[in-house]
Amino acid sequence: MKLLITREMGQDQTKQQIEKGLQLYQSNQTEKALQVWLRVLEKTTDAAGRFRVLGCLITAHSEMGRYKDMLKFAVVQIDTARELEDPDYLTESYLNLARSNEKLCEFQKTISYCKTCLNMQGTTVSMQLNGQVSLSMGNAYLGLSIFQKALECFEKALRYAHNNDDKMLECRVCCSLGNFYTHLKDYEKALFFPCKAAELVNDYGKGWSLKYRAMSQYYMAVAYRKLGHLADAMECCEESMKIALQHGDRPLQAQCLLCFADIHRSRMDVQTAFPRYDSSMSIMTEIGNRLGQIQVLLGVAKCWVIQKEPDKALESTEKAHELAEGLGNKVIPLLAYCFGMSSNPHQQLFKSEGHCGNQLGLLKIHCLCEGIYRTKGQQRELRNHVVRFHECVEEMELYCGMCGESIGDKNHQLQALPCSHVFHLKCLQTNGTRGCPNCRRASVKPGFV
């Protein structure tokens, strides 16, 4: 009986301390909250309480950009879930493990852990997590430039959100869809979805974390810049950055700095852009966002092109190449081949899930490379780049199945069918379809994303 009373006291104390930490965290006293939670983790004898406090630590370290620590706590949470022998706990812990790997750009691992979650036979609680699992998997497929699978996952996540009336999940999915269509250069949709997320925040987000507003404003800023609405882009990015600074959200700060730099570059103000790229790179390196680092380096390269410094632009892309080798990112090995750095880029590729790496990056820098080679008069490298560009498009199936033209090389309005294959909207409107030209699946109406 004495042991039982002691354990109950432990449970109560654990709950009280976790709540104390949450109150500190919500009042932006992050370090004090972490101290409270770490003390609970060290002293509690309650496995369920330990699982919950690990969840708090995982979330906090994610928002601070401490992704390696996030992963460390996620691994410990897996062990705790196994100790509890509860499928709901195990599903949640594998989801946190997937998210940790997603943040570290380990996209193949993310997909693997997400599939583990979806294969578990849990209760209704586990089923409710499937929307978040699908979202994380979609983000990973997008990181690998596997667009059809990414869109399938986002559609599933959106259905889960609608079926469970989960407005927070819907908001996050809308932001990911904005990112998806930014990559494919349908900038109208890239703006529509984060605007929808912002509406959800305004209508339902009174008690939500401000990170949802910051997230929607950031993706709106990216889309506005792509559309050339630079004043609107700056306004949205400033609001997002303000929230990120208030909450110590280092990952979002890095993204906002990158967006600020891109806006100044779009204004041809490269002297203002350079220090913002440097600041963004510093944080990206600190938190381990390797894809973000590559984006910064390519932005810097474009600034050097504006300043008519092709050799410095090439130096920036070479740094991106060195960074990408450890990532397994196909963008830069392909780019290295174009620059004559490697005679066989396929030796550097990791084959899994059909293809690996953020291949769309090659398409994003197509115009940049062409300009550099044309300036330097290197016709052989230019031809190699064009060849590799089209090979990359073929591997990703990133072309319209109706007109045969590539998708993602310039701003086009796109439409997905229910099978998640994407086409030019004008082609569907002009030709119509009773089935998908790519997979022949019956289709009488466009998908809702």
Side-chain angles (χ1 to χ4, degrees):
M1 179 63 71
K2 185 177 180 180
L3 288 175
L4 179 60
I5 293 173
T6 302
R7 186 179 180 189
E8 287 176 349
M9 287 176 63
Q11 288 174 340
D12 291 340
Q13 290 173 350
T14 297
K15 183 178 180 180
Q16 290 171 2
Q17 290 299 304
I18 290 174
E19 292 301 323
K20 177 182 177 181
L22 285 171
Q23 291 174 6
L24 289 167
Y25 189 71
Q26 290 167 359
S27 62
N28 294 329
Q29 300 182 65
T30 304
E31 291 302 327
K32 289 184 179 180
L34 292 179
Q35 290 174 11
V36 171
W37 288 332
L38 288 171
R39 190 162 55 247
V40 171
L41 185 62
E42 179 184 357
K43 295 183 176 181
T44 186
T45 58
D46 175 33
R50 184 163 67 251
F51 183 93
R52 187 183 175 203
V53 79
L54 282 165
C56 294
L57 288 165
I58 289 166
T59 299
H61 283 85
S62 173
E63 293 185 355
M64 290 186 293
R66 300 178 186 175
Y67 297 142
K68 290 183 180 179
D69 288 332
M70 178 188 180
L71 178 60
K72 179 183 69 175
F73 288 120
V75 171
V76 176
Q77 193 183 48
I78 287 277
D79 294 335
T80 304
R82 287 174 177 155
E83 178 185 340
L84 289 163
E85 296 182 344
D86 187 312
D88 290 338
Y89 284 125
L90 202 56
T91 300
E92 184 177 341
S93 61
Y94 269 106
L95 172 58
N96 284 328
L97 194 58
R99 286 173 170 168
S100 301
N101 280 281
E102 178 194 334
K103 299 297 185 182
L104 289 166
C105 302
E106 298 288 353
F107 298 125
Q108 296 289 355
K109 290 181 180 179
T110 302
I111 293 166
S112 177
Y113 290 130
C114 284
K115 289 181 177 178
T116 299
C117 290
L118 294 174
N119 289 333
M120 286 184 179
Q121 299 297 319
T123 64
T124 304
V125 175
S126 293
M127 295 297 292
Q128 290 175 349
L129 291 177
N130 284 350
Q132 299 179 45
V133 174
S134 296
L135 174 59
S136 187
M137 189 183 294
N139 289 333
Y141 278 126
L142 184 57
L144 294 172
S145 302
I146 306 177
F147 297 103
Q148 184 189 1
K149 289 187 177 181
L151 190 57
E152 286 177 354
C153 290
F154 292 147
E155 288 180 319
K156 288 179 182 177
L158 205 54
R159 282 196 293 270
Y160 279 117
H162 290 161
N163 292 340
N164 294 288
D165 197 28
D166 188 338
K167 301 301 182 184
M168 286 186 182
L169 176 60
E170 184 178 354
C171 179
R172 292 170 57 202
V173 176
C174 284
C175 288
S176 288
L177 283 167
N179 190 30
F180 176 90
Y181 282 107
T182 295
H183 286 326
L184 294 187
K185 294 195 174 183
D186 182 347
Y187 298 139
E188 286 75 16
K189 275 193 172 66
L191 179 60
F192 168 81
F193 282 107
C195 284
K196 174 63 176 176
E199 289 179 8
L200 290 168
V201 172
N202 290 334
D203 293 343
Y204 303 99
K206 186 176 181 180
W208 297 4
S209 166
L210 284 174
K211 70 179 181 181
Y212 288 96
R213 181 168 185 81
M215 182 170 54
S216 62
Q217 292 296 313
Y218 165 73
Y219 284 109
M220 286 169 63
V222 172
Y224 274 131
R225 187 192 73 81
K226 294 289 189 179
L227 288 166
H229 303 164
L230 301 184
D232 291 328
M234 184 64 77
E235 182 180 347
C236 290
C237 198
E238 285 174 346
E239 182 172 353
S240 183
M241 185 61 154
K242 180 180 178 180
I243 297 172
L245 289 170
Q246 288 174 346
H247 289 261
D249 189 333
R250 301 285 283 168
L252 185 56
Q253 289 172 30
Q255 295 288 355
C256 287
L257 284 165
L258 173 57
C259 188
F260 282 136
D262 287 339
I263 292 169
H264 289 297
R265 175 171 56 79
S266 297
R267 291 173 171 170
M268 307 301 285
D269 184 2
V270 296
Q271 295 306 321
T272 305
F274 274 132
R276 284 155 181 78
Y277 281 127
D278 289 342
S279 297
S280 179
M281 175 61 87
S282 178
I283 300 176
M284 295 285 194
T285 304
E286 172 194 328
I287 67 179
N289 185 344
R290 291 170 287 171
L291 284 179
Q293 292 172 53
I294 294 171
Q295 289 179 322
V296 170
L297 288 166
L298 293 176
V300 170
K302 292 175 183 178
C303 284
W304 288 124
V305 169
I306 291 172
Q307 292 200 315
K308 298 182 179 180
E309 295 278 3
D311 290 334
K312 290 184 178 180
L314 290 176
E315 288 177 11
S316 183
T317 54
E318 286 171 7
K319 291 178 183 178
H321 162 248
E322 294 172 3
L323 181 65
E325 281 185 330
L327 181 64
N329 187 336
K330 191 175 179 181
V331 179
I332 308 303
L334 288 175
L335 183 60
Y337 179 76
C338 301
F339 288 144
M341 299 174 193
S342 170
S343 60
N344 186 359
H346 292 286
Q347 292 177 353
Q348 302 180 58
L349 302 186
F350 171 73
K351 296 293 184 180
S352 183
E353 289 289 349
H355 52 77
C356 185
N358 191 298
Q359 297 184 65
L360 188 62
L362 182 60
L363 302 181
K364 293 182 178 180
I365 64 172
H366 173 60
C367 292
L368 169 63
C369 291
E370 182 180 356
I372 294 173
Y373 297 140
R374 197 175 302 280
T375 298
K376 294 175 70 68
Q378 295 178 333
Q379 296 301 315
R380 181 178 66 85
E381 288 81 358
L382 175 58
R383 286 193 296 270
N384 286 339
H385 175 76
V386 172
V387 169
R388 293 301 302 143
F389 168 81
H390 287 292
E391 287 179 357
C392 193
V393 170
E394 288 294 324
E395 287 181 22
M396 290 188 290
E397 297 183 354
L398 200 55
Y399 52 85
C400 178
M402 290 190 169
C403 68
E405 293 183 5
S406 61
I407 291 172
D409 59 338
K410 53 187 174 181
N411 187 9
H412 275 304
Q413 285 187 288
L414 305 174
Q415 179 64 58
L417 296 179
C419 57
S420 297
H421 281 120
V422 177
F423 300 87
H424 293 131
L425 178 60
K426 64 179 182 181
C427 294
L428 288 175
Q429 291 174 334
T430 301
N431 302 317
T433 179
R434 293 184 179 179
C436 175
N438 289 1
C439 64
R440 302 300 175 185
R441 185 184 297 182
S443 173
V444 296
K445 61 181 180 180
F448 57 88
V449 297

